[in-house]
Amino acid sequence: MQVSVETTEGLERRLSIAVDAQTIDEEIKQAVRDIAKRERMPGFRPGKVPASVVQKRYGAAIEADVKDKAMQRHFYEAVIQEKLTPAGAPTLEVGEIKDGQFHFSATFEVFPEIELNDFAALEIEKVSSEVVDSDVDDMVETLRKQRVNWSETTEDALEEGDRATFDFVGKIDGEEFEGGKSEGFSLEIGSGRMIPGFEDGLKTHKAGEQFTIKVTFPEDYHAENLKGKEAEFDITLTKVEKPELPEVDAEFIKQFGIESGELADLRAELRKNMERELKQKLRSDSKEQVLDKLLEANEIIVPSALVKNEVEQLRKQAMERFGGQVDQKNLPNLPDELFSEQAERRVKVGLLLGEVIKVNELQADDEKVQEHLKEIASAYEQPEQVIEYYNNNKEMKENLSNVVLEEQAVDLILDKAKVTDVTKAFDEIMNK
């Protein structure tokens, strides 16, 4: 087998391969004989169809199949011989038979050669935080707001925190515009759902009143025809409701699975959950920051084949989320452009982390894998069953090991980077 390698552009390589044509010819003849033995054809006994008849009927297809298999086989032999690492399937092109040699070419991309820059030059903020009593107080208040009761009033004017139900008709230069009309629209004042000035225009009015408010659409409004336009909305306020927060009593507390009905037990459970979520968020944010810095410090070219594969994965995930129970045939065809940037980033991160792991000979620490598994399981009612499920499922455990291995690589980078310790409040981290 004769092989020559050509660099065409970037990571693309073209192999020109020549193999003994007689070998290919023998493989074609053998394939014809094999088919003749099992072919059933009118006028011939089973297994007695002449090779010449098979050749006449199926010759072109057999030749194409044999050549395709031969090209695949010799391609992989060639990349091993030339010590190349393909980053995707090759494009194979049949050439000519010349001087007793069958010629073909294979075009493909290779993985980039990566030389990691010194991690000591990376500047990273290491954020720490803790859950304090006031954070738990806020969470209890959030739970009360989630179970708020609304009391209708005809006497009190609308104010911050109230809920309004109203009809509206929007006009620009006296003409109604598309999407500017609704009946029975419900809005909690202070939610920020409407354009600036709209909610303020509703305040101080009572149920049953009709009035007009004037607003200006933001310059960055999503509808092109409304950007920066002045508008008037005719309002009919049909209902005003005041919030009534529930008392934090035993009945309220038991709604959250605290059978004792004791506030101290609720607060203890909330703190435990908040601390788990905070730990996960700190770890996630830290990893994201390290990866951003790693990308900034190490510019690499990525194989388009890998990016294309990642785009397909992201598209599939999006379709699954978007589809739900909708007929797949009715789903829109999501273009590559929606996913290309994220896909390229994920490929770069994967290659760079892979190099960190390889260079430093990292392996997933089984003790850390089990610690991570316990943390995941702690969010479930029966954590022992979750742990057993993961440990008995090879694929799930392998995925978990890969996550832990990535975190070990991130920790290694953090240990070598220039780290500045920063303390932030729970709310600042969780709600950013």
Side-chain angles (χ1 to χ4, degrees):
M1 181 175 66
Q2 299 173 6
V3 181
S4 64
V5 184
E6 176 188 357
T7 299
T8 54
E9 182 181 5
L11 298 174
E12 189 178 84
R13 302 289 184 271
R14 180 182 292 120
L15 290 181
S16 296
I17 303 172
V19 297
D20 184 12
Q22 185 176 350
T23 302
I24 302 296
D25 190 50
E26 285 299 324
E27 290 178 6
I28 293 172
K29 290 178 181 177
Q30 183 60 50
V32 170
R33 289 193 292 269
D34 290 342
I35 292 174
K37 289 178 183 178
R38 61 175 184 270
E39 182 69 13
R40 292 181 178 273
M41 195 175 292
F44 299 98
R45 286 182 295 164
K48 298 298 182 179
V49 179
S52 59
V53 175
V54 173
Q55 175 67 38
K56 185 176 180 180
R57 177 171 288 192
Y58 303 117
I62 293 172
E63 180 178 343
D65 183 60
V66 168
K67 285 183 176 179
D68 182 65
K69 290 177 179 177
M71 288 190 295
Q72 293 282 354
R73 183 173 68 252
H74 290 295
F75 165 73
Y76 288 109
E77 291 174 358
V79 296
I80 292 171
Q81 175 182 309
E82 300 299 323
K83 298 179 180 178
L84 298 171
T85 52
T91 299
L92 300 172
E93 188 174 341
V94 177
E96 60 182 347
I97 294 178
K98 184 179 179 181
D99 298 329
Q101 297 287 302
F102 169 59
H103 296 262
F104 71 95
S105 66
T107 305
F108 57 98
E109 290 179 295
V110 296
F111 283 92
E113 294 183 4
I114 300 174
E115 290 187 14
L116 296 167
N117 290 314
D118 189 1
F119 298 147
L122 304 181
E123 296 184 359
I124 297 172
E125 277 190 356
K126 187 175 182 180
V127 181
S128 61
S129 181
E130 63 176 338
V131 177
V132 298
D133 288 344
S134 60
D135 297 322
V136 182
D137 294 339
D138 292 341
M139 185 57 69
V140 172
E141 197 64 17
T142 297
L143 296 179
R144 293 180 70 203
K145 289 177 180 177
Q146 290 174 354
R147 283 162 171 72
V148 65
N149 295 311
W150 296 96
S151 175
E152 187 175 352
T153 176
T154 56
E155 300 297 326
D156 297 325
L158 192 64
E159 58 185 13
E160 192 82 4
D162 291 350
R163 187 166 68 181
T165 303
F166 55 96
D167 306 332
F168 65 84
V169 177
K171 299 177 182 178
I172 294 177
D173 296 329
E175 298 290 332
E176 295 183 20
F177 58 89
E178 186 178 353
K181 185 177 183 178
S182 182
E183 294 182 356
F185 190 84
S186 181
L187 176 69
E188 188 173 336
I189 305 303
S191 63
R193 288 172 54 197
M194 308 300 281
I195 61 175
F198 195 101
E199 292 184 14
D200 289 337
L202 298 175
K203 292 178 183 177
T204 74
H205 289 283
K206 297 181 180 181
E209 292 186 6
Q210 294 182 331
F211 51 94
T212 300
I213 59 177
K214 296 181 179 181
V215 294
T216 301
F217 282 94
E219 292 292 342
D220 60 353
Y221 194 68
H222 63 274
E224 192 68 33
N225 62 317
L226 299 178
K227 290 182 177 181
K229 294 289 183 67
E230 293 183 356
E232 292 186 349
F233 284 87
D234 295 332
I235 308 291
T236 300
L237 185 56
T238 56
K239 187 191 297 184
V240 172
E241 295 172 287
K242 297 288 182 181
E244 293 181 351
L245 297 179
E247 292 295 325
V248 184
D249 53 19
E251 181 182 356
F252 173 81
I253 292 169
K254 286 181 180 180
Q255 294 180 51
F256 301 96
I258 308 300
E259 293 302 321
S260 69
E262 296 291 334
L263 178 57
D265 293 339
L266 173 64
R267 291 178 65 88
E269 184 67 19
L270 290 175
R271 183 183 289 273
K272 183 180 76 173
N273 293 337
M274 292 166 71
E275 287 174 344
R276 183 185 65 247
E277 291 172 6
L278 176 62
K279 182 179 179 181
Q280 292 173 347
K281 188 68 164 61
L282 287 172
R283 186 164 58 205
S284 173
D285 289 353
S286 177
K287 181 178 180 179
E288 195 67 18
Q289 186 187 174
V290 168
L291 296 182
D292 285 342
K293 296 293 184 180
L294 187 64
L295 286 170
E296 288 176 15
N298 297 275
E299 280 291 334
I300 60 171
I301 302 173
V302 294
S304 59
L306 296 186
V307 176
K308 184 178 180 180
N309 290 342
E310 197 64 39
V311 165
E312 287 304 317
Q313 287 297 318
L314 291 171
R315 192 198 330 268
K316 182 180 177 182
Q317 292 168 11
M319 295 291 273
E320 289 172 352
R321 290 194 303 270
F322 182 67
Q325 298 182 5
V326 179
D327 188 345
Q328 292 288 321
K329 296 177 182 177
N330 296 326
L331 289 174
N333 183 24
L334 303 177
D336 290 1
E337 292 74 21
L338 285 176
F339 311 103
S340 55
E341 185 176 342
Q342 183 184 0
E344 184 173 344
R345 184 183 191 278
R346 286 173 63 158
V347 171
K348 285 182 177 180
V349 165
L351 292 174
L352 289 172
L353 278 182
E355 189 68 15
V356 173
I357 291 167
K358 184 180 76 173
V359 169
N360 294 279
E361 299 180 343
L362 297 178
Q363 292 184 338
D365 186 315
D366 193 56
E367 187 175 329
K368 290 183 178 180
V369 171
Q370 291 303 316
E371 286 177 4
H372 196 72
L373 177 53
K374 287 179 182 177
E375 188 177 322
I376 293 172
S378 68
Y380 294 84
E381 290 184 3
Q382 297 178 309
E384 298 83 7
Q385 290 186 5
V386 176
I387 292 172
E388 183 180 2
Y389 173 73
Y390 268 82
N391 283 328
N392 291 331
N393 187 308
K394 185 178 179 180
E395 184 179 351
M396 295 289 285
K397 190 171 182 181
E398 187 175 331
N399 290 339
L400 189 62
S401 294
N402 289 336
V403 170
V404 171
L405 186 56
E406 281 193 2
E407 290 183 355
Q408 288 177 222
V410 168
D411 289 340
L412 182 144
I413 295 170
L414 272 173
D415 288 342
K416 297 184 178 183
K418 191 183 299 181
V419 175
T420 303
D421 292 321
V422 177
T423 302
K424 294 184 179 180
F426 172 85
D427 187 65
E428 184 181 358
I429 293 168
M430 300 303 293
N431 296 318
K432 73 174 185 178

